[in-house]
Amino acid sequence: MAQQALLHWEFQRRVEEYPQATALTFEGQAISYAELNARGNRLAHHLIALGVEPETVVGLCLERGVELVVAIVAILKAGGAYLPLDINAPPERLAFILQDAETRIVLTQSGLAGKFSAVEHVIDVDGDAAAIGDERNPEVAYPGDPAQTLCYVMYTSGSTGQPKGVQITQHNVVRLFRATEHWFGFNRHDVWALFHSYAFDMSVWELWGALMYGGRLVVVPHATTRTPEQFYQLLVDEHVTFLNQTPSAFAPLVRVDQNHPADAISLRCVTFGGEALNFKMLEPWLLRHGDSAPRLVNMYGITETTVHSSYRPVTLQDIRDGNSKLIGVPIPDLELHLLDDAQQAVDVEVEGEIYVGGDGVARGYLNRPQLNAERFITLPQFPGQRLYRSGDLAKRLANGDMEYIGRADTQVKIRGFRIELGEIEAVLTSHSHVSETVVTVYEEDEHKRLAAYLVVGESACLEQTALIVQLREWAAARLPEYMQPAYYTVLAKMPLNVNGKIDRKALPLPERNELPAIGDAAAPSTPSERVLATIWAELLKRESVGIHDNFFQLGGDSILAIQLISKANRAGMKLAPNQLFLHQTIAELAAQAGAAIEPAPATVAPDEGAIDEAIPLSPVQHWFFEQRIAQPQHWNQAVLLKCRQPLAAADLEKA
């Protein structure tokens, strides 16, 4: 068993060793270990005065920044556990989580406090500075039992229609690093990027990988996480050495990397988690950087077993051998058992369900005794072990490596978010006009979207278009963005198999082209509106869109938003992803972008071998090459040769 400790003990040791070292940076701010500790102490004393003690769950609803990290440190110092609350979660979902966790204290910021009117103590970490305390507050560090001290409660999607809270102890987290440090060599010279939301457990790996070892934590602004070019530049400017990514987040970074010198980055390690990794996606990166600088490591993980559970470096040889979805071997203090339906071990090369045992297994779900009995179990063939039944399927290869296969149930992962389709189905079926619902994942162009199939009740009096509009609003009020279906299809009845169960394979393709527009059908009238409308329709798979249609209500999501902004910028606009989140219609976004540039095409086909495509390209140059690939007959040699020179946006018309 790894040596037991508390996270704030480890942090305090680093404060004593390197008080003036930079602990974290955010948008030009730099905070030393001594300052982070002092600010954490002040807030911890305030929390203790409000009654925070062991097992007290403190809500956390903050924008990314310095105060977020201060708040987490303070809660742990006071002996409490933090409860991440998604800023964008619907009010009904937030209310359920707060009630379920019996949360009477929430740390938040100006502008967000109104979400928590029913909470006893709402602390504005910006506006309540005087009440929180001053520099004279003495050191505080709750001296708890690491094995029993709750660290955080993180809510994940639940199959019954309500999210469920996973209880993770401080020991669960500390041992994750102790058990893997021989692989990664965590040290004070590392620079970690806090890329993920604190409501996603991969943030735990990023936060404490830095603060437990005296490294520097770079808090990535939300808009930057949605803009691959900006995020890549942040990695370069901040000399980030340790990066943690979902495969879907890293894929656009692989493409951006092609336009920069191979030695621009300082990364020594990239770890993957959150969703299945297809090794083939990493081939362009590995061909440029090799497989040792940085190392790429696939880490299968589950929230209930504390972030990561396995370790598998990805190599160039894997690409040559056609390997894919290998998750490797268990972390040393964990065991991954593959069992059949009778909960007996399966042979090599035989599919089985993953059961995880060891020090990373969570305390259990909060207030869910029946579910705990189903998922956290003991088996006679593994005496003394408490196992988590994952619902994931895998097989063990002859060399001991493990290959991930998929799910045994309807749980899915999209962009790293774990989603129980049953929760979405329960929300939609609770609508008075819906009698039956099935939600599936529809994949096209390597992009996953949720598709809902509905049987309308006899009492429904709305016509189909109006009903779908109403259901979208119903889902948006009760589910976070990543759980809202992009497509709605109304059926007369669900297809059934010979056993009388719903046959998901027999469901038709989603009716994406008949999705109703949210705004009116006003056509684009300016160059910017026309460019955006073309991109909008392409990404959303629609024949046409109106300038008042809402991007997200038509099925857009944050991944498509990145593509939209990238395509718009390559067409000569100047837009950032956060502008799309604030201005969600074509009319509003075009007003932010100014006039679009629409180049006149040439007519002669290019000589395909004349351009060295390994030359790093600017965004505008990259746009030229995309057009060349899409419509090669329209681009002549003079235009292509011009691409080798530095270009301004205005050069597009001249070309």
Side-chain angles (χ1 to χ4, degrees):
M1 178 182 291
Q3 180 182 0
Q4 294 196 13
L6 291 166
L7 288 167
H8 52 270
W9 293 356
E10 296 301 301
F11 169 70
Q12 186 62 40
R13 291 192 181 103
R14 304 295 86 80
V15 172
E16 294 168 358
E17 291 172 345
Y18 321 115
Q20 300 311 313
T22 301
L24 65 101
T25 55
F26 174 69
E27 293 190 326
Q29 302 176 67
I31 306 298
S32 70
Y33 270 84
E35 183 177 354
L36 177 58
N37 186 58
R39 292 172 68 169
N41 283 334
R42 292 200 295 275
L43 183 53
H45 276 286
H46 187 62
L47 293 173
I48 292 170
L50 293 175
V52 172
E53 57 185 8
E55 302 302 304
T56 300
V57 177
V58 179
L60 200 58
C61 188
L62 297 168
E63 300 279 1
R64 291 169 181 260
V66 173
E67 296 302 334
L68 172 63
V69 181
V70 170
I72 292 174
V73 170
I75 292 169
L76 300 187
K77 278 175 169 281
Y82 70 94
L83 171 68
L85 300 168
D86 186 351
I87 290 172
N88 298 313
E92 186 173 301
R93 189 180 183 87
L94 278 178
F96 171 83
I97 292 173
L98 290 167
Q99 182 178 9
D100 189 60
E102 300 179 352
T103 305
R104 62 183 188 84
I105 301 173
V106 170
L107 297 176
T108 188
Q109 288 168 311
S110 302
L112 299 174
K115 294 175 177 282
F116 308 106
S117 57
V119 177
E120 183 180 353
H121 298 288
V122 179
I123 302 171
D124 179 348
V125 296
D126 296 323
D128 296 343
I132 289 172
D134 58 30
E135 297 282 352
R136 293 188 296 275
N137 279 320
E139 183 62 53
V140 57
Y142 168 71
D145 176 358
Q148 300 300 322
T149 300
L150 197 60
C151 183
Y152 58 85
V153 178
M154 198 162 287
Y155 275 75
T156 67
S157 181
S159 59
T160 60
Q162 297 288 4
K164 55 188 184 295
V166 182
Q167 302 175 92
I168 298 293
T169 68
Q170 289 223 29
H171 174 64
N172 288 147
V173 179
V174 172
R175 46 69 36 197
L176 170 65
F177 293 96
R178 291 286 184 260
T180 57
E181 58 189 10
H182 67 290
W183 282 327
F184 295 111
F186 308 121
N187 64 78
R188 63 173 298 232
H189 303 293
D190 273 327
V191 180
W192 290 69
L194 182 59
F195 178 90
H196 293 94
S197 164
Y198 62 95
F200 187 17
D201 69 342
M202 286 175 69
S203 65
V204 175
W205 177 250
E206 297 165 336
L207 175 66
W208 296 106
L211 299 185
M212 268 186 64
Y213 293 89
R216 178 163 63 90
L217 183 69
V218 179
V219 181
V220 184
H222 181 267
T224 302
T225 67
R226 297 296 187 266
T227 314
E229 293 86 355
Q230 290 182 13
F231 181 49
Y232 186 93
Q233 194 59 50
L234 178 143
L235 296 178
V236 173
D237 295 343
E238 296 283 358
H239 304 287
V240 171
T241 65
F242 213 110
L243 180 62
N244 187 39
Q245 293 275 273
T246 61
S248 58
F250 194 70
L253 209 62
V254 172
R255 294 191 287 270
V256 172
D257 178 68
Q258 303 295 308
N259 298 330
H260 294 268
D263 61 356
I265 56 172
S266 304
L267 293 171
R268 72 175 185 87
C269 188
V270 181
T271 55
F272 297 99
E275 60 191 357
L277 171 66
N278 186 332
F279 287 12
K280 184 67 176 176
M281 179 266 286
L282 299 174
E283 182 175 15
W285 181 282
L286 289 167
L287 289 173
R288 293 198 82 209
H289 298 283
D291 48 27
S292 60
R295 276 190 300 158
L296 306 183
V297 180
N298 192 24
M299 302 189 79
Y300 164 77
I302 319 166
T303 302
E304 288 86 345
T305 60
T306 317
V307 191
H308 296 306
S309 300
S310 75
Y311 173 91
R312 176 54 161 81
V314 183
T315 66
L316 272 170
Q317 191 61 44
D318 286 318
I319 306 299
R320 299 187 184 106
D321 294 343
N323 291 334
S324 185
K325 297 186 178 180
L326 297 178
I327 59 175
V329 298
I331 287 175
D333 65 348
L334 296 180
E335 293 184 15
L336 303 183
H337 305 286
L338 293 183
L339 308 181
D340 60 18
D341 291 342
Q343 297 184 325
Q344 298 300 310
V346 300
D347 292 332
V348 172
E349 298 284 356
V350 176
E351 178 182 300
E353 183 177 351
I354 300 175
Y355 289 67
V356 184
D359 278 0
V361 176
R363 179 189 293 182
Y365 299 118
L366 183 65
N367 301 326
R368 298 289 191 281
Q370 182 176 346
L371 188 58
N372 284 333
E374 296 171 3
R375 309 304 293 190
F376 295 90
I377 66 173
T378 58
L379 295 174
Q381 64 267 43
F382 306 111
Q385 272 203 20
R386 183 166 160 271
L387 306 176
Y388 175 70
R389 183 176 184 176
S390 71
D392 288 322
L393 301 175
K395 64 180 179 180
R396 187 170 276 110
L397 308 182
N399 64 2
D401 216 340
M402 193 175 288
E403 181 178 1
Y404 181 79
I405 294 173
R407 290 291 301 177
D409 55 20
T410 60
Q411 185 187 107
V412 299
K413 284 192 175 181
I414 297 179
R415 304 182 345 245
F417 293 103
R418 192 172 84 183
I419 299 170
E420 294 280 3
L421 297 180
E423 181 176 353
I424 306 171
E425 292 168 353
V427 167
L428 295 178
T429 306
S430 68
H431 190 281
S432 60
H433 293 328
V434 176
S435 63
E436 197 171 2
T437 309
V438 170
V439 177
T440 66
V441 175
Y442 177 63
E443 187 167 358
E444 185 179 45
D445 301 329
E446 299 183 350
H447 189 74
K448 294 179 179 179
R449 299 178 180 89
L450 293 168
Y453 295 85
L454 314 163
V455 174
V456 178
E458 294 181 1
S459 62
C461 56
L462 295 174
E463 62 96 17
Q464 183 171 313
T465 297
L467 175 61
I468 292 176
V469 170
Q470 199 173 100
L471 286 171
R472 279 190 182 149
E473 295 171 350
W474 182 266
R478 291 160 177 81
L479 296 168
E481 175 266 327
Y482 62 87
M483 292 179 66
Q484 295 171 28
Y487 308 129
Y488 290 82
T489 303
V490 176
L491 303 175
K493 62 180 181 178
M494 293 293 178
L496 304 178
N497 59 25
V498 294
N499 297 318
K501 296 182 178 180
I502 293 175
D503 186 353
R504 290 175 178 266
K505 294 181 180 179
L507 291 167
L509 292 176
E511 296 180 358
R512 59 185 183 186
N513 290 330
E514 296 182 17
L515 286 173
I518 301 303
D520 60 44
S525 60
T526 68
S528 293
E529 289 177 352
R530 285 193 288 271
V531 170
L532 288 173
T534 300
I535 299 171
W536 222 273
E538 174 193 348
L539 292 177
L540 298 175
K541 309 294 183 184
R542 296 176 61 86
E543 293 182 3
S544 63
V545 291
I547 62 172
H548 300 300
D549 290 342
N550 185 294
F551 181 75
F552 296 99
Q553 291 176 329
L554 289 181
D557 56 32
S558 58
I559 297 298
L560 288 177
I562 294 172
Q563 296 177 31
L564 188 154
I565 295 300
S566 179
K567 287 176 180 291
N569 286 341
R570 287 169 188 163
M573 295 181 174
K574 293 182 179 180
L575 291 169
N578 61 315
Q579 288 177 288
L580 177 57
F581 288 96
L582 294 172
H583 308 283
Q584 299 180 6
T585 68
I586 290 172
E588 293 174 354
L589 192 61
Q592 301 296 312
I597 299 169
E598 299 174 283
T603 56
V604 182
D607 174 1
E608 290 295 322
I611 299 297
D612 178 6
E613 294 197 31
I615 298 173
L617 304 177
S618 72
V620 174
Q621 291 168 322
H622 196 277
W623 183 86
F624 267 104
F625 278 113
E626 282 203 333
Q627 298 306 305
R628 166 198 170 188
I629 293 167
Q631 304 179 65
Q633 72 277 13
H634 290 164
W635 298 90
N636 63 24
Q637 184 63 25
V639 171
L640 293 176
L641 290 174
K642 189 170 180 60
C643 289
R644 304 183 70 170
Q645 308 302 320
L647 290 172
D651 289 330
L652 284 168
E653 288 187 356
K654 298 177 184 177

